[in-house]
Amino acid sequence: MLAEMHDRATAATIRTDRAALADALVRVAGGSEAALSDVYQRTSAKLFGICLRILVNRSDAEDVLQDIYINIWRKAGSFDPGRASPITWLAAIARNRAIDRLRSRADKRQRPLEEGMDVPDPKPDATRGIEDRQERARLDGCIGELEGRQAGAIRTAFFQGMTYAELAERESVPLGTMKSWVRRGLARLRDCLER
Amino acid sequence: MSVESITEAGDPAMLAAEYALGVLDGERLREAQRLERSDPAFAEQVAEWNERLAPMLDEIAPATPRDTVWPAIASALNRPDAGSANVVKLRRSVTAWRGYSAAMTAIAASLAIVVGIDMMRETPVAPPPVAAPEQTLVATLASEDSPARLVVSWQPGAQSVLVTPTVLDSPAERDHQLWLIPKSGTPQSLGLLRADDSQRVVIPAELLRQLGEDVSIAVSVEPVGGSPTGLPTGPVIAAGQLHTI
């Protein structure tokens, strides 16, 4: 009995996480509140971390987190398990909603540009599969290959939701210069990731 | 595609990248939003860029929202206008809750009704004001031989786990029993489960120390009242291991 329980636990774990989350989203699309609760339990810490990073203010981040799951409830039908990774799909929703809130706020906090070259080491992370860790290391490596100002602009846009105009103002460069940095950075990033 | 060709400002591929990154505003932003809705190829490019950039989000530490957030979401879903839930209204109502001393009562009531958590099993405690560094551990219990599926989550430091059966039948003349299987081996009973709703299961202090990453949790079918032997006697219908999310 004991060996059987261990075997089953292991077998269940192997096909869980990503598949289970995708499965839950499909059930959310079918109107299952229990499935949304499941999705919330699995993902709220990650999505809340994203909201908090972008908004800094805890109360705003919690409000946005609520919006996000209402949004997931409504939009789950557009999730395509064959195409997108469920956590990436959810994280993109979270980031976009948090940035929307940031932009609607009068008092955007003023933080320095993100460091371009000083990318934190990808830490071994028990929560993610090996494949995910490799993707992260790969992206970090490619960002590291960019010029510092390109990487800094891309990271600042990503984490602080800044537009071209805001980035240009922050860096005191002409708008066209900032666009050129970001576009060249994005293009090189894509070429690097596809190598 | 070469660097030159996608740095052209008018290129839809570049527009998708800029839109995914979030640097657009004004007319270009509206154009991208319109294309995302109307042009599947463009939407695909946006999704690809989301995938490319997503690993950056992994460097963000998870954080635990307060326990009041989920009840507010669940409550919004159950309104008559849930299909077109008014998010602004929801936010206002949540803000109002937060401001009043009756908030906990309201939240407890909606929690009990909507989610069905048995509040009597554990006195609600004030959540920490700052994100706890410990990450929530979650186990999905499932099995090849049974449709049963449950989610068990545990916040390190908490004295109970939250058990949510997403698929669980109510067997006639039988009970479901929850087991913790420590790394040391012998299954320890965590008590009987109700099939129809979420519930908090209090973990005895001596077993709390055993909870952690990779620890297995399982559900077996037992005679009414639970296993007479103190060990699982019936079929294991679902099992899984705790992992940080």
Side-chain angles (χ1 to χ4, degrees):
Chain A
M1 176 58 69
L2 186 56
E4 181 200 11
M5 289 174 93
H6 275 297
D7 287 351
R8 287 179 186 229
T10 306
T13 297
I14 289 167
R15 57 189 173 75
T16 46
D17 300 351
R18 178 173 172 155
L21 185 55
D23 180 49
L25 280 174
V26 169
R27 283 182 293 120
V28 170
S32 164
E33 263 183 61
L36 189 69
S37 170
D38 185 354
V39 171
Y40 184 86
Q41 283 193 57
R42 290 170 183 282
T43 59
S44 58
K46 181 176 175 77
L47 301 195
F48 186 58
I50 292 169
C51 295
L52 204 53
R53 167 77 189 258
I54 291 168
L55 291 163
V56 183
N57 177 300
R58 211 175 160 79
S59 171
D60 279 3
E62 285 182 344
D63 277 353
V64 169
L65 192 66
Q66 287 158 25
D67 288 1
I68 288 166
Y69 284 93
I70 299 294
N71 208 248
I72 291 166
W73 175 252
R74 292 200 215 134
K75 283 179 63 176
S78 67
F79 170 68
D80 176 356
R83 195 174 78 175
S85 139
I87 193 63
T88 301
W89 189 77
L90 293 168
I93 290 176
R95 180 176 158 266
N96 289 335
R97 302 295 289 198
I99 287 173
D100 286 348
R101 171 63 66 90
L102 187 68
R103 287 181 179 168
S104 73
R105 218 159 66 172
D107 64 326
K108 285 193 186 180
R109 82 247 151 277
Q110 298 288 303
R111 293 197 303 208
L113 277 188
E114 304 270 336
E115 286 291 328
M117 306 305 288
D118 184 21
V119 176
D121 289 338
K123 294 190 183 64
D125 183 346
T127 71
R128 310 293 303 237
I130 290 163
E131 196 179 323
D132 294 324
R133 287 200 292 276
Q134 286 173 342
E135 279 177 10
R136 163 101 185 269
R138 197 166 148 79
L139 180 63
D140 285 349
C142 286
I143 289 175
E145 285 185 20
L146 300 180
E147 287 175 32
R149 59 194 186 182
Q150 293 175 353
I154 286 172
R155 287 178 53 82
T156 303
F158 189 79
F159 286 115
Q160 300 185 30
M162 287 202 180
T163 62
Y164 278 138
E166 290 163 339
L167 290 167
E169 189 186 353
R170 176 67 61 88
E171 285 297 275
S172 304
V173 297
L175 184 59
T177 303
M178 181 53 73
K179 285 184 178 176
S180 166
W181 288 357
V182 171
R183 285 181 182 147
R184 286 181 182 283
L186 287 169
R188 287 182 57 182
L189 198 57
R190 173 164 136 165
D191 287 351
C192 175
L193 289 168
E194 288 179 356
R195 273 209 296 265
Chain B
M1 189 176 290
S2 73
V3 170
E4 282 67 31
S5 66
I6 80 161
T7 49
E8 297 289 328
D11 190 323
M14 193 72 241
L15 186 68
E18 294 170 307
Y19 178 55
L21 182 62
V23 287
L24 300 176
D25 57 12
E27 189 48 48
R28 295 275 287 165
L29 176 60
R30 284 189 288 280
E31 184 188 353
Q33 288 168 335
R34 184 181 58 74
L35 281 173
E36 190 187 29
R37 285 191 297 270
S38 63
D39 180 348
F42 182 82
E44 176 77 31
Q45 287 177 322
V46 172
E48 283 171 7
W49 271 103
N50 281 335
E51 292 280 344
R52 286 190 188 104
L53 298 172
M56 270 201 275
L57 294 171
D58 289 349
E59 71 188 63
I60 298 176
T64 308
R66 282 182 295 184
D67 291 347
T68 52
V69 175
W70 172 253
I73 295 165
S75 159
L77 302 185
N78 280 277
R79 288 184 191 165
D81 63 347
S84 57
N86 184 328
V87 174
V88 174
K89 201 166 79 185
L90 166 70
R91 186 181 311 138
R92 285 196 186 125
S93 74
V94 169
T95 307
W97 276 5
R98 202 181 279 139
Y100 296 109
S101 60
M104 281 318 290
T105 312
I107 290 162
S110 69
L111 202 60
I113 293 162
V114 175
V115 192
I117 293 173
D118 183 356
M119 299 297 288
M120 304 311 289
R121 291 206 185 182
E122 187 181 61
T123 308
V125 293
V130 183
E134 299 89 353
Q135 296 176 26
T136 307
L137 292 165
V138 176
T140 299
L141 314 190
S143 136
E144 300 288 355
D145 310 329
S146 157
R149 182 185 282 275
L150 304 90
V151 179
V152 176
S153 66
W154 179 61
Q155 185 69 44
Q159 292 170 9
S160 63
V161 294
L162 180 62
V163 182
T164 305
T166 49
V167 182
L168 190 62
D169 293 335
S170 300
E173 306 296 315
R174 289 280 188 279
D175 272 335
H176 291 122
Q177 193 160 2
L178 188 69
W179 303 90
L180 171 69
I181 310 167
K183 288 171 183 166
S184 62
T186 314
Q188 307 283 330
S189 174
L190 297 177
L192 302 181
L193 292 177
R194 296 189 306 281
D196 55 348
D197 59 6
S198 294
Q199 54 221 282
R200 283 209 168 268
V201 176
V202 174
I203 310 295
E206 66 273 18
L207 293 183
L208 269 180
R209 285 191 296 277
Q210 314 254 22
L211 281 183
E213 189 78 29
D214 298 332
V215 168
S216 296
I217 293 180
V219 174
S220 69
V221 178
E222 301 292 339
V224 173
S227 162
T229 67
L231 288 171
T233 60
V236 173
I237 56 167
Q241 291 173 328
L242 285 169
H243 294 300
T244 51
I245 51 177

